[in-house]
Amino acid sequence: KWKQMVADDGRQSSSVLPTPSRFLLNLSKPTLPHPQWEEISVMDERNTPMRTYQVCNVMEANQNNWLRTRHISREGAQRVHIEIKFTLRDCNSLPGVPGTCKETFNMYYYESNNANLWFIKESQYVKIDTIAADESFTQVDVGDRVMKLNTEVRDISNLSKKGFYLAFQDLGACIALVSVRVFYKKCPLTVLNLAQFPDTITGGDTALVEVRGVCVNASEEFEAPKMYCSADGGWLVPIGRCVCKPGFEENKDGCQPCRPGTYKASATDAYCTKCPPHSSSPQEQAFECVCERGFYRAETDPRSMACTRSPSAPENPISTVNETCITLEWSPPRDTGGRGDVTYSLHCRKCSGDSRKCTPCGSSIHFVPRQFGLSSPTVLVTDLQPDSNYSFTVESQNGVSDLSPTPKGTVVINVTTSQTVSVVLKERRSKDSVTLAWQGPERPDGAIVEYEVIYYEKREQNYTVLKTRSNMMTVEGLKPGTTYVFRVRARTDGGYGTYGGEIELETSHEDVFPIGDPNQSTILAVSIAGGIVLLVFLVTCFVVSGRHCGYIKAKQDPDEEKMQFQHGRVKLPGSRIYIHPHTYEDPNQAVRDFAKEIDASNIRIERVIGAGEFGEVCSGRLRVQGKREIYVAIKSLKAGYSDKQRKDFLSEASIMGQFDHPNIIRLEGVVTKCKPVMIITEFMENGSLDTFLKKHDGQFTVIQLVGMLRGIASGMKYLSDMSYVHRDLAARNILVNSNLVCKVSDFGLSRVLEDDPEAAYTTRGGKIPIRWTAPEAIAYRKFTSASDVWSYGIVMWEVISYGERPYWEMSNQDVIKAIDEGYRLPAPMDCPVVLHQLMLDCWEKGRSDRPKFGQIVTILDKLIRNPASLRELANSSACREDPSTPELSVNTVDEWLEAIKMGQYKENFSSAGYVSLDSILYISVSELAKMGVTLAGHQKKILSSVENLQSQGTHVQV
Ligand code: AMP
């Protein structure tokens, strides 16, 4: 037994604990009776007394010494962490100890609602782990303070009772237990997007805890805010947001009232704005500004519009009398009141006699286009009575006239309608002329300007108009022996009067002139011909443009576009293009063209290894003439299949058979001539990549993982070069062989629709594996090699996180929303910065901004050649992106590139001659591209940092 121990300071060194966390236990409180464990006071290096628990019965066999804690309340946590600090003596260092000496001890727990259990049977405990020391110590040298303190952390998950007891079992080791700390992790209270998320205890296993945020004061929900609390106490995936209520604007993490003189009308407006003209807000928190006296706001006026007033009166009225019709015209008001919606209304009164007694006109007169709400300053009034006085009031109004107590602006127009000309006929007739005479009106409304004589041949349509200033006229050039009708009217300053009565006169007999104008008929003929030509032209245009539209539409249809490629019509010289099996009228011919028929007797099936969509997948051997036996996977088509199922099943072979690449699963052949129909492929010993990674969690080096990713990227480059779009690239569809070589598989035509359990129906119909699919493919089925690149980014994330489910347990809808709002998966644990950056590049919103598979292969090759570039981890606290550390001082180009996480381009910069920080200040995209920085995302990142450099000297935004 030792009496003095090397120990840490017994109080907590919070630096080893992740914040936020909450302690449940400190071993400073005594535990229950523990006869073999001794509670000993020792001094730490600062001479502070502290207690340890020790046991060291190494000389005797059959030890079973228990040390138990008091009841530890779990305070609602489902998962707690236990950190123990201890020293453990190396058995070899103890002279003469028997072989029963141990170098481990066991840790247990027992869940219970009872906080005062006196005794717990050994068999009731659940074992947490056997604890061994990383560093056992061979000598105790307190004087030199040789610290050989071990720290181990273990978790217990899914706790459900009030609390638990911890126990330590010694089976014959030499142990000093220096500290035991029990804690759980919380996501700390935080405010994001104006929503407050409470202190949240992390979930039981790795599951995320979904937390609804509460809008902060003076804000309201725009879209339900929520976030997920991750197992290690971090907040993930903010969705939705709150917005400041009307009258408030956002300020840091809250909402502040609008200052006097400003207002905010709607919650969705970002900021308070100055009151519009003729309005003010004397108080804080205004959601609208009050109009000044005499100014108004119509109900439909936006709050941002200036307050307005009613218009002034119309001006410059003019009337034109035309018999019993009057045209009234006026100019718009000088002051429209600040609005564009001025209209006019008319009121008519008929005034009788000299007394000018006026009464409303009634409904017998008509206004064209209308009497009220005229938008142009003119109106035609019809059906007035001749020789009468009328008074028209024209009123101007606008959207706020009804709100204004002041009378509307008006102008009055008085008009007298014309009197008829009473013609007194003085007739003189010859064979080709007639002379008429008349008397003017008795009370003309103004001086008579002229008379108008109209005449026409009786029963004919064409008439002739003649004008004269005198009271008589001789009409010449008439046909002999023909009856004509004559009428006369007077024109005064006020307009035309009405016609007098008709007078019929017959000329004396003579020769008859031919009628009809040959020129007119010519014009008519030309018009008809022109009309026909025009019609033919229009019809032709319609047909042509109809065809044209149809063509454009077809061209824009992504499927059509794809079909063009698949039919091999767009073929680049020297490149092999994948041929879609649908191109074949007879799908069996596609199978014959691309897959070798294998004699079933050469296949030996050994065991079932999986279940495919169409039947079992088995492993077995294939004997190929002249070659040694090879291991193969055999997919068979279950009995009772339909024609379509057979076609779909074999389509995978006719697609796979066109590929020949080390990272694409190789087709050995098919069996179609006898039943069951089979597809034979090379055998991949380690099965699908997702299951394989989960099974080997944490067991590979980064270089091995990057090697796998490189293989997948290379296979995908081959497929994209052949214009094949995979559409369902995911770790579950990658197979791994015994040499860790990854190969892309799953090429069936129906696979995305029926086979993939991850595929979900989208609102546009069709099934899509949402978590792996690019937004444009989800939204409008734009599947391209660039959408395959997005999926590849997700595969990278799956690989580095050893088969973690992308976006954890979030719903598909939440994933779509989060991606749309710009959220991207964070770096998995221990993920090199460069790899996470590459993932983010693959998840660029614009598909042309994503890297091509060829570029991905080049990047990964570089990383493999230079493993040091993988050393910097994305989630090591020192380099985590943190907006609160806005600046970093850098002195060299290399330091700068490291600071903005573009360290992989150091060589490119130095060999291009960019050696000092000054030299990069005016670098351009084309120069970046020239020196080999070709990814759009990286170019953007570098150039935006250069901008910062320009504005901040050498303080770089990171
Ligand atoms: P599939 O129908 O292609 O999705 O295959 C179903 C399952 O069978 C896969 O998830 C694999 O576990 C297994 N499998 C398919 N092909 C092979 C192969 N060539 N080598 C080894 N396992 C395979």
Side-chain angles (χ1 to χ4, degrees):
K1 289 178 190 173
W2 300 265
K3 294 296 173 209
Q4 280 186 303
M5 299 297 301
V6 178
D8 76 355
D9 72 1
R11 284 176 299 271
Q12 303 318 318
S13 49
S14 57
S15 61
V16 291
L17 282 177
T19 47
S21 54
R22 175 156 163 74
F23 295 112
L24 293 169
L25 170 95
N26 213 321
L27 205 64
S28 56
K29 289 259 161 60
T31 57
L32 291 167
H34 39 82
Q36 280 80 21
W37 289 79
E38 278 189 279
E39 190 185 347
I40 291 171
S41 289
V42 294
M43 302 297 238
D44 71 3
E45 63 269 37
R46 288 180 218 144
N47 267 345
T48 313
M50 55 173 283
R51 312 286 282 176
T52 66
Y53 286 86
Q54 305 182 10
V55 64
C56 193
N57 298 342
V58 285
M59 302 307 281
E60 297 141 47
N62 301 326
Q63 293 295 310
N64 187 16
N65 308 317
W66 287 78
L67 173 69
R68 200 191 92 189
T69 66
R70 64 183 166 80
H71 185 261
I72 306 167
S73 165
R74 73 179 171 94
E75 294 185 358
Q78 291 172 25
R79 178 194 188 89
V80 298
H81 308 270
I82 303 144
E83 184 213 66
I84 48 176
K85 291 192 177 184
F86 61 95
T87 58
L88 194 61
R89 181 109 187 213
D90 177 355
C91 288
N92 286 335
S93 69
L94 298 165
V97 291
T100 51
C101 172
K102 298 274 184 316
E103 291 180 349
T104 60
F105 62 98
N106 297 322
M107 184 157 69
Y108 294 86
Y109 75 104
Y110 174 67
E111 262 203 278
S112 171
N113 290 327
N114 187 341
N116 297 308
L117 280 184
W118 170 247
F119 179 71
I120 301 167
K121 271 200 277 176
E122 281 179 27
S123 59
Q124 287 179 302
Y125 283 111
V126 180
K127 185 165 171 179
I128 299 171
D129 206 356
T130 296
I131 312 284
D134 284 340
E135 312 240 18
S136 44
F137 66 108
T138 50
Q139 74 177 74
V140 183
D141 190 346
V142 179
D144 288 341
R145 290 268 164 246
V146 183
M147 302 289 281
K148 299 281 185 183
L149 197 63
N150 294 284
T151 304
E152 293 286 328
V153 181
R154 297 290 184 276
D155 299 342
I156 347 179
S157 290
N158 300 332
L159 292 171
S160 58
K161 298 202 173 157
K162 272 192 187 148
F164 56 93
Y165 296 85
L166 283 180
F168 303 90
Q169 181 195 30
D170 163 55
L171 295 168
C174 211
I175 316 157
L177 205 48
V178 176
S179 85
V180 176
R181 292 188 296 185
V182 181
F183 59 94
Y184 58 78
K185 294 184 188 175
K186 294 191 296 185
C187 294
L189 178 142
T190 188
V191 175
L192 196 80
N193 295 337
L194 294 178
Q196 178 171 309
F197 295 86
D199 240 7
T200 304
I201 298 172
T202 54
D205 279 327
T206 49
L208 303 179
V209 181
E210 186 184 313
V211 183
R212 269 297 288 267
V214 178
C215 292
V216 297
N217 270 354
S219 71
E220 60 189 40
E221 273 188 14
F222 175 73
E223 192 186 341
K226 61 178 171 177
M227 272 213 280
Y228 291 88
C229 174
S230 72
D232 60 348
W235 289 107
L236 292 173
V237 206
I239 298 177
R241 64 189 170 107
C242 301
V243 286
C244 290
K245 287 181 177 167
F248 292 85
E249 67 182 346
E250 198 170 334
N251 169 33
K252 286 197 192 123
D253 281 340
C255 297
Q256 67 179 17
C258 294
R259 279 173 294 107
T262 66
Y263 78 106
K264 198 185 92 169
S266 151
T268 50
D269 293 343
Y271 300 107
C272 303
T273 39
K274 242 179 96 195
C275 285
H278 304 296
S279 69
S280 63
S281 61
Q283 309 285 332
E284 284 194 331
Q285 293 184 19
F287 54 86
E288 66 175 345
C289 298
V290 194
C291 291
E292 284 167 15
R293 266 178 76 128
F295 285 86
Y296 307 90
R297 186 174 283 135
E299 218 166 272
T300 50
D301 285 352
R303 295 296 171 261
S304 55
M305 189 174 139
C307 291
T308 51
R309 58 182 167 191
S310 38
S312 58
E315 297 189 355
N316 310 321
I318 317 166
S319 63
T320 314
V321 180
N322 190 351
E323 297 177 37
T324 51
C325 298
I326 301 171
T327 303
L328 302 175
E329 285 174 277
W330 56 91
S331 316
R334 200 163 300 165
D335 176 10
T336 59
R339 308 180 61 92
D341 59 352
V342 176
T343 56
Y344 310 94
S345 295
L346 282 104
H347 301 280
C348 168
R349 290 186 311 154
K350 192 168 178 234
C351 306
S352 60
D354 290 338
S355 63
R356 294 258 157 195
K357 216 179 123 213
C358 301
T359 52
C361 295
S363 57
S364 58
I365 64 165
H366 297 100
F367 294 84
V368 181
R370 71 189 84 86
Q371 183 177 3
F372 302 104
L374 286 164
S375 47
S376 355
T378 176
V379 70
L380 173 71
V381 190
T382 63
D383 303 312
L384 296 165
Q385 284 176 10
D387 196 16
S388 307
N389 298 317
Y390 288 93
S391 170
F392 294 96
T393 307
V394 186
E395 181 182 276
S396 59
Q397 59 194 50
N398 63 18
V400 294
S401 293
D402 291 341
L403 302 171
S404 167
T406 51
K408 296 183 176 117
T410 55
V411 66
V412 177
I413 313 174
N414 294 319
V415 193
T416 304
T417 49
S418 322
Q419 298 163 11
T420 39
V421 176
S422 34
V423 177
V424 180
L425 181 68
K426 290 212 174 132
E427 142 195 15
R428 197 185 312 142
R429 271 183 282 180
S430 72
K431 56 186 172 199
D432 60 356
S433 70
V434 168
T435 302
L436 302 167
W438 54 84
Q439 261 176 6
E442 260 171 43
R443 283 183 291 108
D445 62 338
I448 289 178
V449 178
E450 64 187 0
Y451 292 98
E452 188 182 271
V453 177
I454 183 169
Y455 72 93
Y456 52 90
E457 235 179 280
K458 199 172 176 186
R459 283 183 285 277
E460 288 294 333
Q461 296 291 318
N462 294 342
Y463 60 85
T464 306
V465 178
L466 300 170
K467 289 180 178 174
T468 176
R469 285 167 189 254
S470 95
N471 281 36
M472 63 176 294
M473 174 185 276
T474 299
V475 183
E476 295 177 321
L478 302 176
K479 290 186 228 163
T482 308
T483 307
Y484 288 88
V485 178
F486 298 86
R487 301 185 75 184
V488 182
R489 67 175 178 173
R491 183 161 82 85
T492 64
D493 293 337
Y496 284 100
T498 38
Y499 284 105
E502 293 178 353
I503 294 163
E504 283 186 25
L505 292 170
E506 193 184 358
T507 48
S508 40
H509 285 271
E510 231 213 65
D511 296 344
V512 175
F513 291 105
I515 55 163
D517 184 344
N519 287 338
Q520 288 238 332
S521 17
T522 313
I523 289 165
L524 189 69
V526 168
S527 304
I528 291 170
I532 291 168
V533 169
L534 185 71
L535 190 68
V536 169
F537 174 72
L538 286 177
V539 169
T540 313
C541 285
F542 178 75
V543 171
V544 169
S545 73
R547 283 217 190 120
H548 185 64
C549 291
Y551 170 70
I552 297 264
K553 187 159 174 272
K555 222 179 139 195
Q556 284 175 344
D557 181 358
D559 283 335
E560 177 72 14
E561 204 172 90
K562 200 166 137 249
M563 289 296 281
Q564 289 196 352
F565 276 87
Q566 288 166 351
H567 284 102
R569 273 186 238 139
V570 181
K571 193 163 177 168
L572 301 173
S575 68
R576 230 159 65 73
I577 296 290
Y578 149 79
I579 299 167
H580 195 287
H582 276 169
T583 314
Y584 283 79
E585 231 165 76
D586 173 12
N588 293 319
Q589 186 56 44
V591 179
R592 284 193 291 276
D593 278 3
F594 298 121
K596 195 168 78 189
E597 180 72 26
I598 291 177
D599 189 337
S601 65
N602 288 333
I603 301 165
R604 184 145 47 100
I605 296 177
E606 289 176 339
R607 62 197 170 85
V608 178
I609 53 168
E613 181 200 348
F614 296 96
E616 285 166 343
V617 183
C618 299
S619 65
R621 291 168 206 233
L622 171 69
R623 214 165 1 94
V624 191
Q625 260 196 340
K627 285 191 198 160
R628 65 189 169 89
E629 249 185 0
I630 55 166
Y631 284 101
V632 286
I634 304 144
K635 282 190 185 180
S636 44
L637 178 59
K638 60 190 165 217
Y641 53 81
S642 65
D643 255 12
K644 180 174 180 309
Q645 280 174 319
R646 182 178 190 275
K647 203 172 84 182
D648 286 351
F649 175 71
L650 286 174
S651 71
E652 177 160 22
S654 39
I655 295 170
M656 217 189 301
Q658 299 182 46
F659 304 141
D660 177 18
H661 188 273
N663 296 103
I664 305 290
I665 197 81
R666 190 181 66 251
L667 177 76
E668 295 296 344
V670 289
V671 176
T672 60
K673 300 229 161 89
C674 61
K675 284 185 183 170
V677 175
M678 293 186 265
I679 296 177
I680 319 294
T681 62
E682 65 179 308
F683 179 58
M684 301 292 283
E685 295 81 352
N686 280 314
S688 60
L689 178 60
D690 62 332
T691 325
F692 174 68
L693 287 169
K694 282 178 203 152
K695 210 155 79 193
H696 297 279
D697 192 355
Q699 293 177 7
F700 300 115
T701 61
V702 181
I703 289 289
Q704 279 175 309
L705 297 177
V706 175
M708 293 183 204
L709 289 173
R710 195 255 176 222
I712 302 166
S714 172
M716 288 308 298
K717 174 182 180 316
Y718 174 82
L719 293 182
S720 66
D721 287 348
M722 282 191 73
S723 301
Y724 179 83
V725 179
H726 191 287
R727 295 182 177 218
D728 197 10
L729 180 59
R732 64 184 169 281
N733 291 329
I734 304 290
L735 292 168
V736 189
N737 73 9
S738 54
N739 298 322
L740 290 192
V741 175
C742 290
K743 305 198 181 198
V744 181
S745 82
D746 228 5
F747 297 103
L749 282 185
S750 62
R751 69 196 196 285
V752 181
L753 284 175
E754 281 115 39
D755 192 15
D756 190 340
E758 281 293 350
Y761 284 99
T762 62
T763 44
R764 285 174 59 100
K767 258 177 135 188
I768 287 178
I770 300 290
R771 282 153 214 275
W772 282 263
T773 305
E776 74 277 5
I778 296 174
Y780 52 99
R781 311 197 129 258
K782 185 77 192 165
F783 285 96
T784 56
S785 290
S787 64
D788 276 352
V789 166
W790 179 291
S791 313
Y792 178 81
I794 303 287
V795 172
M796 286 184 74
W797 193 88
E798 289 183 279
V799 169
I800 305 296
S801 62
Y802 283 93
E804 178 73 270
R805 181 168 163 73
Y807 312 97
W808 308 275
E809 296 314 315
M810 282 169 65
S811 71
N812 280 340
Q813 271 319 309
D814 279 355
V815 171
I816 294 173
K817 218 187 287 169
I819 292 298
D820 186 48
E821 289 180 7
Y823 172 80
R824 297 293 183 267
L825 280 166
M829 211 164 71
D830 296 334
C831 175
V833 171
V834 279
L835 290 185
H836 188 231
Q837 185 56 52
L838 185 53
M839 294 178 204
L840 294 173
D841 294 339
C842 294
W843 302 328
E844 280 284 347
K845 194 178 173 72
R847 62 178 192 279
S848 54
D849 291 341
R850 297 173 202 152
K852 306 281 175 292
F853 279 115
Q855 291 172 300
I856 296 177
V857 173
T858 312
I859 292 169
L860 296 178
D861 278 343
K862 261 196 192 167
L863 297 179
I864 293 169
R865 278 201 305 272
N866 177 18
S869 54
L870 294 161
R871 231 175 270 148
E872 190 189 343
L873 301 186
N875 37 23
S876 68
S877 58
C879 52
R880 184 171 284 172
E881 288 204 12
D882 179 0
S884 64
T885 28
E887 290 188 351
L888 178 79
S889 227
V890 293
N891 297 311
T892 64
V893 174
D894 282 3
E895 275 177 26
W896 165 65
L897 286 169
E898 288 290 354
I900 60 169
K901 297 183 190 128
M902 292 281 118
Q904 68 267 39
Y905 294 119
K906 280 194 232 167
E907 239 184 76
N908 308 45
F909 272 76
S910 66
S911 44
Y914 292 96
V915 284
S916 72
L917 278 180
D918 293 345
S919 64
I920 55 153
L921 286 180
Y922 300 99
I923 201 160
S924 65
V925 184
S926 60
E927 278 163 299
L928 285 176
K930 248 188 266 162
M931 70 167 81
V933 185
T934 48
L935 291 181
H938 291 188
Q939 292 175 345
K940 261 189 223 162
K941 192 161 185 178
I942 291 173
L943 289 178
S944 77
S945 177
V946 166
E947 266 175 37
N948 278 321
L949 270 183
Q950 289 167 343
S951 59
Q952 297 174 4
T954 52
H955 287 91
V956 180
Q957 197 98 24
V958 286

